[in-house]
Amino acid sequence: MGVKAIYKTKATATGGRDGAARSEDGSVDVKLVVPKEMGGPGGEGANPEKLFAAGYSACFLGAMKAVSGKEGVKVPQDATVTAEIGFGPRDEGGYGITADLTINLPGVDRADAERLMHAAHQVCPYSNATRGNVDVGLTLA
């Protein structure tokens, strides 16, 4: 399965989970902190799970907008997607992530919202990247 990339970007991390990450153009420049739940100091800063949650939620909302015309469902201006990303040990060894998306489409008929949500899940790059590797929960708010 090939991908013909129409856009590429770069980010560089230093110090691992307790360091910093910055995009090549500087538009993303974050301090990384290990959460207390993972044995770190916690405090202000991001971590890979927060960054993944932000990226997945934005991408999924964009995917809904991309398929809305084909599905005949308008995405309202105040629509939101919240991604909850979990981190922990896998039964098979190593570590893994969990992903649960909560989709809020105010004023959209529930059947239409479900159709749009499932169509977006088929085209969203994050959904395609995780498919078969991460169980992604989809919930309509």
Side-chain angles (χ1 to χ4, degrees):
M1 168 180 46
V3 175
K4 295 178 182 163
I6 59 172
Y7 172 76
K8 291 184 179 185
T9 188
K10 294 180 184 177
T12 301
T14 57
R17 286 182 166 270
D18 192 20
R22 186 177 189 279
S23 63
E24 66 184 339
D25 66 359
S27 63
V28 175
D29 192 355
V30 294
K31 174 185 175 191
L32 301 173
V33 175
V34 179
K36 286 183 180 180
E37 298 86 347
M38 294 170 66
E44 286 195 33
N47 59 51
E49 293 71 34
K50 287 181 183 180
L51 297 170
F52 189 77
Y56 201 167
S57 60
C59 190
F60 198 89
L61 186 51
M64 287 194 304
K65 290 179 178 183
V67 299
S68 66
K70 180 181 176 196
E71 295 299 320
V73 180
K74 183 171 174 24
V75 176
Q77 283 291 105
D78 56 349
T80 61
V81 175
T82 301
E84 180 178 48
I85 304 299
F87 169 93
R90 294 173 7 125
D91 294 339
E92 302 84 3
Y95 294 91
I97 61 171
T98 62
D100 290 289
L101 304 180
T102 302
I103 293 90
N104 185 13
L105 297 164
V108 176
D109 174 78
R110 187 159 188 86
D112 288 342
E114 288 206 15
R115 190 172 76 250
L116 181 65
M117 175 182 71
H118 290 295
H121 191 47
Q122 294 307 306
V123 302
C124 175
Y126 278 65
S127 293
N128 287 330
T130 58
R131 190 168 286 114
N133 298 308
V134 175
D135 290 330
V136 177
L138 300 174
T139 304
L140 280 177

